[in-house]
Amino acid sequence: MLLFIVLSNTAFHLWRSAYGPSGWQPVTGGWLDHAVQFAMITALDLRVYPLFAFLFGYGMMQLFLRLTATGAGERDAVRILRRRSLLLIVIGLAHSTLLMAGDIVGYYGLLSLALGAFFLRRSDRALKWWIAIGAAQLVLVSAQPVIAALLQGKLGSLGDAGADPGAAAYGAGEGSWFAAAGIRLTTGLFVTFTAAPFSLIGGGYVIFLLGFWAARRRILEEPGRHLPLLRRTAVLGIAVGWLGALPAALAHVGALDVPDDAQSETGALTVLRELTGYGAGLGYVAVVALFVHWWSGRPARAGTKAAVAVSAISAVGKRSPSSYLAHSLLFAPLLAAWGLGIGAHLTSATMALFAVGVWLVTVAGAHAFERRGWRGPVEAVLRRLMYR
């Protein structure tokens, strides 16, 4: 997940590039850059955040069940998780102000604050009803205008290609750190206190509740008991996600003639990508669960390169908040105009290589922490403040 996130966060660091109608992916560069842009639009953009939301909800329910199993009352467990959500909002706003405007920790902190209060103690039947209600909200609020535009043959009736590029909201091209911080704070406040509540209204919380439901069934801890479900989710989810993004990817590289407004951030193709991204996110989770099941059934290979790699990536998962924030510590000062400004000299392809390198640095760091038995610094602080 963190590798996908660091890759999806690369585009807005290319602050000297010309952006396409969507306002996110550049249109500059050679054939290799266009290939990377095509892959990003198809497989990563608007696909990673649903994956994160599902795992966030799953982990939250895991923690709730663990607390109640060890003797904490349900109200006490909810109170601890409420404190955690508030801490995440604070961390997210600090992160967006200091380094990276597109922070998602604060966004999901606010969602977890609301959803945890209402759904952690609800029955499975209630969860299923609200998952169905959320899916209906997604269709009515988001999908209905797109379906109407497609049926009428008026793709250009939605969206505004003349709007400022969304990447500008990250302030990476600002030469002054203080000016960039002001932009980032504005964006962070919008993402946390406007986009998150709208997600509740529009049904985006459904992926979060699916994480609650899956955690109660221990689907990721015991994938062998759920293989048919995981296989169907992997195949159908990824197929839906990639096919839903294909028109936008083809239009971006010039292989499909679509009005610019339809490709814009509020256009029909972007909405279609966002809706089908839920399927891709769930599909990615299922693929990882299937891999874990396959790996656990192999003969012991302690000490082999493959075993060390799996152990190192697992160590990142145990320290995901620290690793996520470390991305920005490495990205922002090196790439932004107020820092070394390297982002001005990179392209989509070279930026993707840079992102993979940053991720590998966090893998090496997490592995070193694991070998010494250390928690990540953010996890240590969260634990101390959560449990006081």
Side-chain angles (χ1 to χ4, degrees):
M1 179 193 72
L2 289 171
L3 173 60
F4 288 170
I5 283 179
V6 73
L7 283 168
S8 67
N9 284 340
T10 57
F12 56 80
H13 287 292
L14 299 168
W15 44 274
R16 274 197 179 162
S17 298
Y19 289 88
S22 72
W24 292 105
Q25 284 294 341
V27 291
T28 49
W31 67 268
L32 184 58
D33 299 302
H34 294 316
V36 169
Q37 294 157 13
F38 184 94
M40 293 280 191
I41 293 171
T42 303
L44 293 180
D45 290 355
L46 301 176
R47 274 113 191 84
V48 180
Y49 294 141
L51 163 62
F52 186 93
F54 177 87
L55 293 178
F56 199 104
Y58 196 105
M60 190 174 177
M61 180 59 75
Q62 269 187 326
L63 185 53
F64 175 78
L65 295 174
R66 190 180 307 141
L67 287 168
T68 53
T70 54
E74 289 189 347
R75 289 187 177 181
D76 290 335
V78 170
R79 189 178 300 114
I80 290 170
L81 287 168
R82 183 187 306 126
R83 192 178 303 137
R84 176 176 178 261
S85 297
L86 291 170
L87 289 168
L88 291 175
I89 293 172
V90 173
I91 290 172
L93 289 175
H95 180 216
S96 62
T97 303
L98 296 173
L99 293 170
M100 211 275 280
D103 173 83
I104 52 177
V105 171
Y107 175 94
Y108 287 116
L110 191 139
L111 282 182
S112 66
L113 185 66
L115 298 176
F118 286 102
F119 293 107
L120 279 173
R121 292 177 286 176
R122 301 296 288 271
S123 66
D124 282 357
R125 182 180 180 185
L127 272 184
K128 290 178 182 178
W129 270 107
W130 278 100
I131 288 169
I133 291 170
Q137 285 178 271
L138 279 176
V139 172
L140 293 174
V141 175
S142 300
Q144 188 273 333
V146 177
I147 294 171
L150 287 171
L151 291 176
Q152 296 171 10
K154 298 178 180 179
L155 280 177
S157 63
L158 299 176
D160 179 14
D164 292 335
Y170 289 74
E174 291 289 335
S176 163
W177 181 88
F178 290 100
I183 295 172
R184 289 194 301 265
L185 175 59
T186 301
T187 303
L189 290 170
F190 174 83
V191 169
T192 302
F193 296 111
T194 300
F198 182 79
S199 181
L200 295 173
I201 297 170
Y205 63 85
V206 66
I207 196 80
F208 209 103
L209 295 187
L210 280 170
F212 280 11
W213 175 85
R216 287 183 176 178
R217 283 152 183 78
R218 297 178 59 83
I219 289 176
L220 299 186
E221 294 98 321
E222 302 169 358
R225 295 177 52 200
H226 308 279
L227 291 178
L229 172 64
L230 291 171
R231 287 168 181 153
R232 287 195 300 269
T233 302
V235 173
L236 293 176
I238 293 175
V240 167
W242 288 10
L243 289 173
L246 189 59
L250 291 171
H252 180 82
V253 298
L256 189 66
D257 186 18
V258 177
D260 285 351
D261 285 344
Q263 301 178 56
S264 68
E265 190 172 2
T266 54
L269 294 191
T270 301
V271 175
L272 179 62
R273 286 166 57 205
E274 184 173 5
L275 289 172
T276 56
Y278 289 93
L282 291 174
Y284 294 158
V285 174
V287 166
V288 173
L290 290 169
F291 170 79
V292 169
H293 174 72
W294 171 82
W295 179 263
S296 63
R298 310 300 294 172
R301 308 186 217 177
T304 65
K305 292 181 179 179
V308 171
V310 169
S311 175
I313 294 172
S314 176
V316 174
K318 294 177 183 178
R319 298 159 183 82
S320 55
S322 294
S323 299
Y324 169 71
L325 295 175
H327 293 167
S328 297
L329 286 172
L330 295 170
F331 257 61
L334 295 176
L335 300 175
W338 53 262
L340 295 181
I342 297 174
H345 309 289
L346 297 178
T347 65
S348 295
T350 54
M351 181 67 83
L353 289 175
F354 181 86
V356 173
V358 166
W359 177 75
L360 288 173
V361 169
T362 63
V363 171
H367 186 51
F369 272 56
E370 180 74 9
R371 293 182 65 182
R372 289 166 175 79
W374 297 345
R375 287 192 178 94
V378 179
E379 289 75 21
V381 171
L382 270 175
R383 183 178 179 83
R384 179 178 293 274
L385 294 176
M386 277 173 60
Y387 299 107
R388 292 183 178 175

